[in-house]
Structure formats: structure tokens, C-alpha cells
Amino acid sequence: MPDIVCHEVPTSVGGLFRPRFAFAAAAEELLRRLDLDVVHDMGHGWYGNVFMPHGGTRAGSFRQNVQSSPSWLRRCKELTWSVLPRYSMVRELENRQYVSDGSRLFIALSQMVWRDMGRFHSLPPNLVRIVYNGIDTVRFSPTHRTLCRAAVRRSLGIRNEVLFLLVAHNFKLKGVGPAIEAAARVARTLPELRLVVIGRDRPDRYERPAQRLGCPDVVRFVGGVADSVPYYAAADVYVHPTYYDPCSLVVLEALASALPVITTVHNGAGELLTPGVQGFVLADPTDVGSLVGYMSQLMDGAVRSECSRRARELAEQHDLERNYREILAVYEEAARVSPLVKWKAAA
């Protein structure tokens, strides 16, 4: 295990108005004093030879956040991107982060993020390396089913019903609304369906719609949990009709737990799935009709069993070891083509 040395960047710099810039500047000052070969920035600074926005591009994220709002509100939100000072500061920060003169390499978590880097920042494709997230296939494993599946299902009041799971802390962005509506429609003909939602967001905004749709007993909100592993073990299907995810870790966790997955094209992790093999990929998170169809297909035990097997196989191809190797390869390339010593000499 290599030594890890932490360097604290003061968090009080910059006052109330430009904390992002103050942090980035303070981080740059600290990093320039260190003898480093690679600086891997995860999206908060501007100094480094590897830049990887773990949350995706801010413009892409904002665009999809807008799409999760009612149609009458979308135009107002779009205008805020142009006029609010906080968004102008975000754009100014990103102008410094996405320097496209060949002086750094960029890591995109998916092809979706890679496309957004070109679309919103005119980033040359030859500077971008795509590295999907990896998953711990030991911690997230179908072996946990024998250990805790029965106990968790009892605690949820579920016996032989088919349990669809959704894990999120931003219910609106991750498509909890469409998931509830689809679950209600499927349950009218297949009443053994259950949807369990885990996360720290406010459930009251969604419990009322569930009652209005006539499915309060079909949907259950658990709240935040310290460990999601037992809930993956208890589930039969993972549903994630998200409006935006650069490369969703919860989808990879579900796949590693041998769960069929339903997600959307706005989730970079969805690029890894072969529709109909490990699950399904929605073209539009608001297309409840298609979501109903996919959920109905996965109510069939034989279909679930085959998708479950293929889901685990896919996750094993994207374990942490693969992720480490691919990122290390980017480090080695960055140290060779964009050494930090040149940056320090030019400062």
C-alpha cells in the first residue's frame, strides 16, 4: 500500500461570493509547491494534467435537470443559466478547466460525457479518454442473497412479491416520479409488484402521487440507509429512469448484485447494457408507457433469471481492477505528454 499524504486546502478562503475560485486558486498554489508527476482534478480546480469531472459537464447536468421539471417551468430555468451570477461563475470556472490547447488530458466517465465535452466546450476528441466507473464485485455480489435476503424482505413486508428497487438522493432527477407512475400501472394487472425507494430526499412529495394513483401499498419509501447491500440482495429488479447520470454507480452495484436493470440513455452506465440482455434502456425517462412495458417483461421469472445471470457477467467485466488499470494508463500518458514541470516553469 503506497503512502498517502493529505494536504488541507483552507475552506474559508474567498468569502461568500467566489468560494469555487478561491478554492481552485488555493489548490493551485499548494500543488505547484509539490514535486508531482500527475495532478488528477475531479472537477473542483483548474491546475492539473488530468481533468475528470466526476459529475459530468455542468452544462450537460443543468440541461437534464431542466428536463426533469414541468414543461411550463423549463423556459424559466433555462433563462437562469444565462442571467444568474452563480451560473456565470460556473461558466467562468469551466472556461479555465477545459483548456483545449493540448496541455492536459481529460477523462470522461462515458460516451455521453465525452459528447458533452465536445458540444459544450469544443474539446478536441483526441484529448479525451473514456473510463467507465468500476465496481467492487466482492462487496456487491449475489452471494449476499443467502445471508440477508429473507430478513430484509420480511422487514419490508414482502414475501413472494417481485421487488423493484430504486436508490437515489435526488428523487426528481433520478426519475422516482415516472417509476411510481409505471409501478402503479403495472400493478393494476400484476398486483404482486412492489417498488422500494431508498434515499434521503423528501418522500412526502411522492407519497401523495402514489395515493392518487391508487398504489400506496405498492410503493414504499425506506429513507437513507447506512448500507445498500442488503437491499440489493432483497430486490429482484433495479429500476433507475434517471434524467442524468454520468455513469451511475448504483446501476453498477445492481448489476454486480445480479439484478436486471432498467435505466435511460441519459445514464452513462446504460451504454454498457445490451437492451434485452441485462435489462432495458429507455430513450426518454418521461416515457412511462415504455417503462411499463419493460417492468412488465421483468415480472416474468424466467426473463429475470436470464437477465440476472448476464448482469453479473457484465459487472465482472467492469470491476475496480479494470478501472484502476485504465486510469493508471492515463496517468502514464499524461506524465509523458504533459509533464507538470513545464507548467511550473511557465508560471
Side-chain angles (χ1 to χ4, degrees), residues 174-225:
K174 306 306 181 180
V176 170
I180 290 174
E181 185 176 348
R185 289 169 58 176
V186 175
R188 289 169 191 162
T189 54
L190 299 168
E192 64 272 24
L193 180 146
R194 294 292 182 271
L195 173 64
V196 170
V197 180
I198 292 175
R200 293 189 294 270
D201 206 341
R202 290 177 53 185
D204 55 297
R205 298 176 180 174
Y206 298 90
E207 288 170 336
R208 286 190 294 271
Q211 292 173 352
R212 186 177 67 252
L213 291 165
C215 64
D217 297 330
V218 171
V219 182
R220 176 161 182 179
F221 293 87
V222 175
V225 298

Side-chain angles (χ1 to χ4, degrees), residues 135-144 229 256 312 316 319-320:
I135 193 64
D136 185 340
T137 55
V138 175
R139 180 185 176 200
F140 298 96
S141 166
T143 59
H144 296 295
V229 167
R312 176 64 187 184
E316 289 174 345
D319 62 1
L320 290 176

Side-chain angles (χ1 to χ4, degrees), residues 62-73:
F62 180 83
R63 178 193 61 191
Q64 290 305 118
N65 263 289
V66 168
Q67 294 304 309
S68 70
S69 300
S71 57
W72 61 267
L73 186 58

Side-chain angles (χ1 to χ4, degrees), residues 6-328:
C6 297
H7 298 269
E8 183 176 357
V9 177
T11 56
S12 60
V13 295
L16 296 175
F17 301 104
R18 296 174 69 84
R20 293 179 186 268
F21 289 86
F23 175 86
E28 177 182 5
E29 182 180 352
L30 186 155
L31 290 166
R32 284 187 178 277
R33 296 197 300 265
L34 303 176
D35 183 18
L36 303 170
D37 297 304
V38 175
V39 172
H40 179 168
D41 191 295
M42 302 288 281
H44 298 288
W46 51 55
Y47 175 79
N49 47 358
V50 176
F51 183 71
M52 177 179 140
H54 206 269
T57 64
R58 289 184 174 89
S61 175
F62 180 83
R63 178 193 61 191
Q64 290 305 118
N65 263 289
V66 168
Q67 294 304 309
S68 70
S69 300
S71 57
W72 61 267
L73 186 58
R74 291 174 192 170
R75 182 56 182 161
C76 295
K77 288 198 169 186
E78 288 169 354
L79 288 173
T80 65
W81 180 257
S82 303
V83 301
L84 286 186
R86 65 171 174 160
Y87 291 129
S88 65
M89 284 190 288
V90 165
R91 290 194 297 274
E92 186 180 343
L93 176 64
E94 286 197 320
N95 285 339
R96 298 194 63 170
Q97 292 173 329
Y98 287 92
V99 176
S100 58
D101 60 358
S103 61
R104 69 177 64 177
L105 296 178
F106 296 79
I107 296 177
L109 295 185
S110 59
Q111 294 182 47
M112 179 185 72
V113 175
W114 172 75
R115 289 192 297 269
D116 283 349
M117 286 178 169
R119 175 182 178 182
F120 296 113
H121 302 289
S122 302
L123 200 64
N126 65 297
L127 297 180
V128 185
R129 308 292 177 264
I130 297 175
V131 179
Y132 292 98
N133 281 328
I135 193 64
D136 185 340
T137 55
V138 175
R139 180 185 176 200
F140 298 96
S141 166
T143 59
H144 296 295
R145 291 180 181 177
T146 59
L147 300 175
C148 51
R149 178 178 172 87
V152 175
R153 288 174 72 91
R154 279 196 303 271
S155 72
L156 295 170
I158 293 173
R159 300 180 65 185
N160 298 319
E161 294 87 350
V162 180
L163 195 165
F164 286 72
L165 178 68
L166 196 162
V167 180
H169 295 307
N170 184 333
F171 287 175
K172 183 172 75 169
L173 185 65
K174 306 306 181 180
V176 170
I180 290 174
E181 185 176 348
R185 289 169 58 176
V186 175
R188 289 169 191 162
T189 54
L190 299 168
E192 64 272 24
L193 180 146
R194 294 292 182 271
L195 173 64
V196 170
V197 180
I198 292 175
R200 293 189 294 270
D201 206 341
R202 290 177 53 185
D204 55 297
R205 298 176 180 174
Y206 298 90
E207 288 170 336
R208 286 190 294 271
Q211 292 173 352
R212 186 177 67 252
L213 291 165
C215 64
D217 297 330
V218 171
V219 182
R220 176 161 182 179
F221 293 87
V222 175
V225 298
D227 185 8
S228 58
V229 167
Y231 292 90
Y232 290 121
D236 299 295
V237 180
Y238 187 79
V239 57
H240 197 75
T242 180
Y243 287 85
Y244 186 75
D245 261 303
C247 185
S248 173
L249 280 171
V250 290
V251 162
L252 292 173
E253 292 169 1
L255 291 169
S257 303
L259 293 180
V261 167
I262 303 172
T263 189
T264 73
V265 296
H266 303 297
N267 181 355
E271 298 167 9
L272 304 176
L273 274 67
T274 301
V277 176
Q278 300 89 7
F280 300 97
V281 181
L282 282 163
D284 180 355
T286 65
D287 184 0
V288 175
S290 292
L291 182 55
V292 167
Y294 295 151
M295 292 174 74
S296 297
Q297 288 186 59
L298 288 170
M299 291 292 289
D300 185 304
V303 174
R304 287 200 310 275
S305 178
E306 179 60 18
C307 288
S308 171
R309 181 180 67 83
R310 300 298 291 271
R312 176 64 187 184
E313 290 175 353
L314 177 62
E316 289 174 345
Q317 297 170 24
H318 293 274
D319 62 1
L320 290 176
E321 184 64 31
R322 173 176 176 165
N323 180 263
Y324 297 158
R325 289 197 308 268
E326 292 181 355
I327 289 180
L328 181 58

